[in-house]
Amino acid sequence: GGTPPFPLLEKCGVSFDPALRQTKAAPSERGSGLTRALTWAVFGSLAVLAVALWYWEFYSLEARERTAHALYDSLRPARNLGFAAGLVATACVLLNLSYLLRRNEWGGVRFGALRQWMTLHVATGLGAGLFALLHCGFAWHGTPGSMALFAMGLLITTGAIGRYLYAFLPRAQSGQELALEEVQSSLVRMQGQWEGDHPEFRDWVRSEMDGLVGAAHWSRGFLSKLGALLSAPWRMRQVLRRVRREGRTQGIPADRIADLAALARKNHRLALASTWYDELRALLSTWRYLHRWVAVFLVLILAVHIVTAIRYAPVGFGDS
């Protein structure tokens, strides 16, 4: 058994030619896709704001006063513009839920990168909230529709927190989370990038980063860990301000200061992901549980709202 039976395996059709091996891409960090989704959300917010300002004469009235306004039939939730906004909000909710099909590969849905689906998930979630506001006329009615709007706002809030936590874990180009060993390997490879000129300033920057990561690492409890994660970018910006100020004081070239600041930011993120790997995954697991149940409640109360509207209100387009 000490000699591998290569001839026998080759006769069975097994190839040992290295040129025929399938190459495996090295795990590399990829972007989050959040910027594109937020860009869509900004344009959607501006559009909704423009409509609100254009018809502010109507939307500024109390609910009981709107029924006597000339624009009531055009803007109320059950007719015309208000009804169309409700349809678009419902379509956004359905598109938002389609992300689960791709993430869990239900029904054989495997096309498209997870990053693109996540972008769609974020954009449609924010879009659903914006069009729901337009649908209800920016007013609270105490109906199932208003409860659905509240659930949607809660879902967007929890989604924003989860998206924030999601961005802390580095991911490969495929969208899969990097394993702890891969994160640590990336951190080790980065150590060589700290070499170069101005050693005293460079070592001072590294010590600042180590202190920042160490302060967050010793947090205890779910809330303290979550608070440390939420405050990490603010603390990082404070340190980078000190780095730039100290660099200018010592006469370090601006391009070298910028390089070290970018390296420090990436090193800080990888160090947090490495030292808090299990905690981050636990936080995400807890968040997913809460987020999904809020989504279930939203779907149920939205179904009640739609059935009630169809049954008791003359929904549609045109004059009622």
Side-chain angles (χ1 to χ4, degrees):
T3 303
F6 290 118
L8 176 61
L9 293 173
E10 288 176 345
K11 288 181 181 179
C12 294
V14 179
S15 174
F16 295 95
D17 186 359
L20 299 178
R21 295 176 186 171
Q22 184 177 4
T23 58
K24 182 179 179 180
S28 58
E29 189 178 346
R30 62 148 179 86
S32 64
L34 184 60
T35 302
R36 183 181 302 177
L38 291 180
T39 301
W40 292 1
V42 168
F43 284 115
S45 300
L46 292 176
V48 172
L49 178 62
V51 174
L53 292 177
W54 185 264
Y55 295 112
W56 185 247
E57 178 186 356
F58 174 80
Y59 291 126
S60 61
L61 297 175
E62 295 290 337
R64 62 179 179 274
E65 297 174 346
R66 294 183 183 184
T67 57
H69 198 278
L71 294 174
Y72 178 68
D73 283 336
S74 300
L75 301 179
R76 66 191 180 106
R79 308 296 297 180
N80 300 318
L81 180 61
F83 178 64
L87 291 178
V88 175
T90 304
C92 285
V93 170
L94 295 177
L95 284 174
N96 186 271
L97 295 176
S98 67
Y99 168 74
L100 298 177
L101 299 177
R102 173 61 181 89
R103 187 179 185 278
N104 300 297
E105 297 186 357
W106 293 337
V109 178
R110 297 183 181 135
F111 58 87
L114 279 175
R115 177 185 178 183
Q116 296 171 339
W117 282 85
M118 175 56 76
T119 301
L120 178 67
H121 186 68
V122 175
T124 52
L126 294 173
L130 291 172
F131 281 103
L133 281 174
L134 189 60
H135 170 62
C136 71
F138 306 95
W140 178 268
H141 302 289
T143 60
S146 295
M147 295 178 63
L149 180 63
F150 174 78
M152 193 172 295
L154 186 60
L155 194 65
I156 292 174
T157 303
T158 58
I161 295 174
R163 192 64 186 82
Y164 185 86
L165 297 175
Y166 179 90
F168 267 98
L169 284 177
R171 297 173 181 273
Q173 293 291 342
S174 62
Q176 299 298 322
E177 295 176 1
L178 295 182
L180 177 59
E181 294 78 9
E182 295 170 331
V183 176
Q184 292 173 338
S185 297
S186 299
L187 195 59
V188 170
R189 288 195 300 269
M190 185 178 293
Q191 302 307 312
Q193 301 179 25
W194 285 100
E195 303 300 328
D197 52 0
H198 309 288
E200 293 183 0
F201 178 69
R202 182 189 64 226
D203 292 341
W204 177 78
V205 175
R206 291 190 66 175
S207 67
E208 289 288 314
M209 290 299 102
D210 292 341
L212 188 61
V213 174
H217 179 62
W218 292 108
S219 300
R220 292 291 181 265
F222 177 84
L223 293 179
S224 62
K225 291 179 184 297
L226 181 60
L229 277 178
L230 294 176
S231 63
W234 179 81
R235 296 177 183 271
M236 182 64 186
R237 286 193 293 270
Q238 295 293 108
V239 171
L240 289 180
R241 287 195 190 98
R242 292 202 302 270
V243 167
R244 296 186 181 99
R245 185 169 56 249
E246 183 66 22
R248 289 192 294 267
T249 302
Q250 296 186 20
I252 308 298
D255 57 345
R256 182 57 175 162
I257 296 176
D259 291 342
L260 284 175
L263 182 61
R265 185 182 292 107
K266 187 176 181 181
N267 183 87
H268 173 251
R269 183 166 175 267
L270 280 175
L272 279 181
S274 176
T275 57
W276 277 27
Y277 189 82
D278 292 334
E279 289 87 347
L280 281 169
R281 291 181 65 87
L283 282 171
L284 276 172
S285 178
T286 303
W287 165 79
R288 287 191 182 106
Y289 178 82
L290 297 174
H291 190 65
R292 286 170 182 170
W293 278 110
V294 174
V296 169
F297 174 75
L298 169 62
V299 172
L300 292 177
I301 198 66
L302 183 60
V304 172
H305 169 62
I306 292 174
V307 171
T308 303
I310 293 176
R311 185 172 181 180
Y312 296 105
V315 296
F317 298 97
D319 298 332
S320 59

